[in-house]
Amino acid sequence: MNVPIQDLTRHNQPIAGALAEACREVIESGWYVLGRQVASFEAEFARFLQIEHCVTVANGTDALELAMRAVGVERGDEVILAANAGMYSTVAALAIGATPIYAEIDEQRLSLSFTAIERAFSSSTKAVVLTHLYGCSGYVEEIAQLCRSAEIPLIEDCAESHGARVAGKAVGGWGDVGCFSFYPTKNLGALGDGGACTTHRSDIAAQLRHLRQYGWEARYRAVTAGGRNSRLDEIQAAILRRKLPHLNEWNARRRAIALRYNEAFSKLPIKCPWIDGDAYVGHLYVARVPNRDAFREALKSRGVATDVHFPLPDYRQPAIASQLGKRWELSLTEEACATVVTLPCFPEMEDKEIEYVISAVRDAVTQTRTRAR
């Protein structure tokens, strides 16, 4: 048996008719950018999350950059973030000319540590970016309170956590701004790129609407510096509208698969992801294993696909290391990047595939243990 990390054909096929109809509606409307579909999706996604405002943009990385600009981050300011989350927040900060300040992660959830953020605060800190990594919500209640007390804006990176809720409240609504990606592999994915920012603050929403379209307050009248062309197109918005009603169901299936894995792997030398009800939506099932390369090779030989999200801390990326101004050494971040491995977990997985992955992982652990001796 061959089991992929995910299968977007299987994911989209059951609603292919609805997606085709969505595209047809847009084509026949004659309006393709910032029209009725975008406005409707923004309202529906905001209502789904129970957050006052949703402002769509071209992609998740733009969402992060424009969110930073909207809360006042400027060139030379410091932004606290994690270094194990794929470099997206780092890229956004560097695009502004801000300085990334990397704080240590929590060993259990692999997202920013409350105490590490507090230690990283300085007079130059202008924002904190909390990434809810792999669909596992970070310590957002505590971190939101910390940032409020310090009067420092909190940006939530929710690109991997659509629909996750902590204490009944959606991620993306705890901080000043929430940032979402609708890349096709996300829990709520378009058929191309897309992104959004969410906020309870009308002033930030207004800034974001300016920033996503050249800084315009009105057509051809730019009043906000840092603007760009970053718009979600009508077809992607129409597709996301058709998919949104299925999101809770898809998330529940991802969570159920992850729980089965956790139970099956509980006695193996594997660190499994932290799962706590609706606070976990299983975007990726990421475990931590010793001898990762050998483990992945053993699974590959059995037809089970794996991946590594993410193998390098941001501060070790060759393209940007020279821009960072100091040398970073974060032991938990380094350990996570050296041991994380992603196993198949997507809503359309069949039970026989789940059981096959479980069996293959057990065999791979045995094989790599034997080799290690």
Side-chain angles (χ1 to χ4, degrees):
M1 183 181 293
N2 291 308
V3 185
I5 286 285
Q6 56 195 335
D7 188 333
L8 292 180
T9 300
R10 259 195 270 178
H11 181 63
N12 290 316
Q13 188 59 45
I15 57 171
L19 300 184
E21 176 64 17
C23 294
R24 186 190 65 78
E25 284 183 16
V26 173
I27 293 168
E28 292 182 355
S29 76
W31 194 308
Y32 307 127
V33 177
L34 290 186
R36 182 180 67 84
Q37 296 290 345
V38 164
S40 296
F41 174 69
E42 288 178 341
E44 290 161 10
F45 194 51
R47 185 162 56 249
F48 173 81
L49 298 173
Q50 296 182 299
I51 298 173
E52 190 70 22
H53 305 281
C54 171
V55 180
T56 53
V57 295
N59 56 69
T61 308
D62 278 4
L64 288 163
E65 180 189 337
L66 298 187
M68 291 181 196
R69 292 185 185 276
V71 301
V73 175
E74 299 178 347
R75 178 173 296 276
D77 291 339
E78 294 182 353
V79 179
I80 296 172
L81 43 83
N84 66 320
M87 210 173 84
Y88 308 111
S89 295
T90 292
V91 167
L94 292 175
I96 297 171
T99 301
I101 300 297
Y102 299 108
E104 188 59 283
I105 59 174
D106 171 76
E107 200 277 336
Q108 183 182 48
R109 304 191 195 187
L110 302 186
S111 61
L112 282 178
S113 158
F114 174 93
T115 55
I117 293 172
E118 196 169 29
R119 287 195 299 269
F121 280 158
S122 77
S123 59
S124 298
T125 303
K126 292 300 171 67
V128 172
V129 179
L130 171 62
T131 300
H132 301 291
L133 195 61
Y134 311 138
C136 177
S137 301
Y139 289 96
V140 68
E141 290 181 275
E142 299 87 345
I143 291 170
Q145 179 56 51
L146 173 66
C147 289
R148 279 193 298 271
S149 298
E151 298 184 338
I152 293 172
L154 172 62
I155 296 169
E156 296 177 72
D157 178 357
C158 308
E160 300 186 352
S161 59
H162 308 69
R165 296 182 183 273
V166 176
K169 183 175 179 178
V171 300
W174 287 90
D176 294 88
V177 191
C179 299
F180 292 83
S181 167
F182 303 120
Y183 186 76
T185 60
K186 303 302 185 183
N187 291 37
L188 180 64
L191 299 187
D193 274 317
C197 295
T198 57
T199 182
H200 290 292
R201 292 177 50 179
S202 58
D203 60 327
I204 287 179
Q207 283 286 90
L208 289 165
R209 293 187 191 281
H210 295 169
L211 287 164
R212 75 172 173 186
Q213 188 163 237
Y214 313 116
W216 285 356
E217 177 186 53
R219 190 171 176 83
Y220 305 130
R221 176 178 167 78
V223 298
T224 303
R228 62 170 59 203
N229 179 351
S230 182
R231 301 174 297 212
L232 181 71
D233 69 71
E234 284 282 282
I235 282 181
Q236 299 304 340
I239 286 165
L240 290 167
R241 292 184 67 200
R242 300 313 195 279
K243 287 189 166 190
L244 181 58
H246 301 279
L247 180 56
N248 282 336
E249 175 189 351
W250 291 336
N251 284 347
R253 177 60 174 167
R254 290 173 180 273
R255 189 181 305 113
I257 295 168
L259 286 167
R260 286 177 68 177
Y261 283 163
N262 274 14
E263 181 180 3
F265 304 153
S266 61
K267 296 182 180 178
L268 299 179
I270 292 175
K271 293 180 180 179
C272 296
W274 175 86
I275 300 175
D276 184 17
D278 291 346
Y280 178 86
V281 292
H283 170 62
L284 298 169
Y285 184 89
V286 177
R288 285 168 282 170
V289 299
N291 305 315
R292 181 175 65 198
D293 290 347
F295 178 78
R296 293 186 69 202
E297 191 61 35
L299 287 178
K300 181 180 179 181
S301 71
R302 290 162 173 79
V304 175
T306 63
D307 208 336
V308 177
H309 298 89
F310 299 94
L312 279 180
D314 292 6
Y315 50 80
R316 294 197 186 281
Q317 293 286 354
I320 64 170
S322 62
Q323 301 178 53
L324 298 178
K326 68 173 287 187
R327 185 177 180 85
W328 296 89
E329 296 288 347
L330 301 174
S331 60
L332 291 176
T333 297
E334 299 275 351
E335 192 272 340
C337 289
T339 59
V340 290
V341 61
T342 304
L343 299 177
C345 182
F346 55 95
E348 296 73 31
M349 280 188 79
E350 298 178 7
D351 287 347
K352 63 182 180 182
E353 290 177 308
I354 298 167
E355 292 305 319
Y356 185 80
V357 171
I358 289 170
S359 176
V361 166
R362 288 172 174 157
D363 289 346
V365 168
T366 300
Q367 181 177 327
T368 53
R369 271 176 169 172
T370 301
R371 285 183 180 176
R373 293 171 187 163

